[in-house]
Amino acid sequence: MDIRVTGFDLNGIGMTSQRTRNRLVQRLKDAGIKSQAVLDVMAVTPRHLFVDEALAHRAYEDTALPIGHGQTISQPYTVARMTEALLAAGPLKRVLEVGTGSGYQTAILSPLVDEVFSVERIEPLQRRAAQRLETLGYQNVRASLSDGTWGWPEHGPYDGILAAAAPEEVPQSLLEQLVDGGRMVIPVGGAVQKLVLITRHGQHFSRKTLESAKFVPFLSGIQR
Ligand code: SAH
């Protein structure tokens, strides 16, 4: 497939090299990720550029890593699983992401869908991620400082919604911003969380639990 990731050096050296990324992709396959499109994008996306330089050597381990402000860049397996579930019924045009964080999940979605709209509530993270995505040449991404409880109605409705933070209950606005037939992948719960896939059928929403999960909490308001 043609993967539109441009504007940066993909090769890296040592622990950030293509060979290191290929090892990660093999791990993801072993862990049950089947979508070749998702695996191909994971193979070329430079996760080491989405974490602090001091952590770059750990970027291709299959673990979450701190990105500051009490938040983490999601585990590669989780990113792959969520993306695969979101795309499983066919190609998506417009996707809303709640919780930009480092921008890594945004970068994985970007070549796989027509447009990504991504919101983040912590200003310094939002600013850094937006700048990083622009520098790396992700042209079909719009990022904004906003509380995702309200979705991003100006650009909706969305064919897909993906949340990287867990609310106790799925916000009504997010459900309303799904197109008929649209899909949402979101972790739900507090101490015990489940990753769920919600599909809209008119005014009815079906829910399927994908697996247990451990995400940061979905919080309201903007943090400056
Ligand atoms: N996919 C990101 C995950 C970051 S962690 C990555 O791989 O880097 C989840 C992010 O969701 C955090 O940055 C947190 O600040 C953000 N978040 C939590 N609640 C939110 C809300 N209501 N609106 C927008 N962002 C939110």
Side-chain angles (χ1 to χ4, degrees):
M1 79 182 273
D2 173 32
I3 296 168
R4 292 165 289 126
V5 181
T6 52
F8 54 86
D9 176 13
L10 281 173
N11 298 319
I13 47 162
M15 292 306 285
T16 61
S17 68
Q18 185 59 54
R19 200 185 310 160
T20 315
R21 270 196 293 277
N22 292 345
R23 269 202 297 273
L24 171 63
V25 166
Q26 187 57 50
R27 274 189 67 110
L28 298 174
K29 275 192 200 169
D30 294 344
I33 303 301
K34 293 191 177 61
S35 162
Q36 194 56 47
V38 171
L39 292 168
D40 286 348
V41 175
M42 303 278 298
V44 298
T45 304
R47 191 168 183 256
H48 64 283
L49 301 181
F50 291 82
V51 295
D52 276 355
E53 249 177 88
L55 286 173
H57 67 290
R58 300 192 53 199
Y60 300 102
E61 293 175 16
D62 189 20
T63 57
L65 294 168
I67 55 172
H69 307 272
Q71 308 303 319
T72 55
I73 181 172
S74 304
Q75 181 184 350
Y77 169 78
T78 306
V79 170
R81 182 80 175 95
M82 292 178 85
T83 309
E84 180 174 73
L86 196 72
L87 290 164
L92 302 176
K93 292 200 170 75
R94 303 162 81 76
V95 171
L96 173 68
E97 179 191 31
V98 179
T100 318
S102 66
Y104 178 66
Q105 169 80 71
T106 326
I108 297 295
L109 284 168
S110 162
L112 294 168
V113 306
D114 287 2
E115 281 183 283
V116 187
F117 299 87
S118 186
V119 294
E120 167 59 54
R121 62 175 289 278
I122 300 180
E123 188 182 29
L125 289 180
Q126 197 279 328
R127 216 179 322 118
R128 210 176 309 151
Q131 197 170 40
R132 182 180 278 146
L133 289 162
E134 195 185 329
T135 306
L136 296 179
Y138 291 94
Q139 290 182 359
N140 62 342
V141 171
R142 300 250 330 238
S144 172
L145 177 67
S146 172
D147 173 359
T149 308
W150 313 111
W152 195 349
E154 290 84 343
H155 298 292
Y158 301 96
D159 305 297
I161 298 180
L162 187 154
E168 295 275 354
E169 295 292 339
V170 180
Q172 189 61 30
S173 306
L174 293 183
L175 294 170
E176 284 165 7
Q177 285 168 41
L178 269 184
V179 300
D180 195 6
R183 295 156 76 83
M184 175 170 7
V185 179
I186 185 169
V188 182
V192 178
Q193 299 174 5
K194 298 260 181 253
L195 187 61
V196 300
L197 168 68
I198 296 171
T199 309
R200 180 169 195 167
H201 314 275
Q203 288 312 309
H204 174 72
F205 296 86
S206 67
R207 275 187 188 227
K208 181 179 167 206
T209 297
L210 300 177
E211 55 195 60
S212 62
K214 194 172 186 309
F215 284 77
V216 297
F218 193 108
L219 301 173
S220 55
I222 299 297
Q223 182 181 320
R224 297 204 186 256

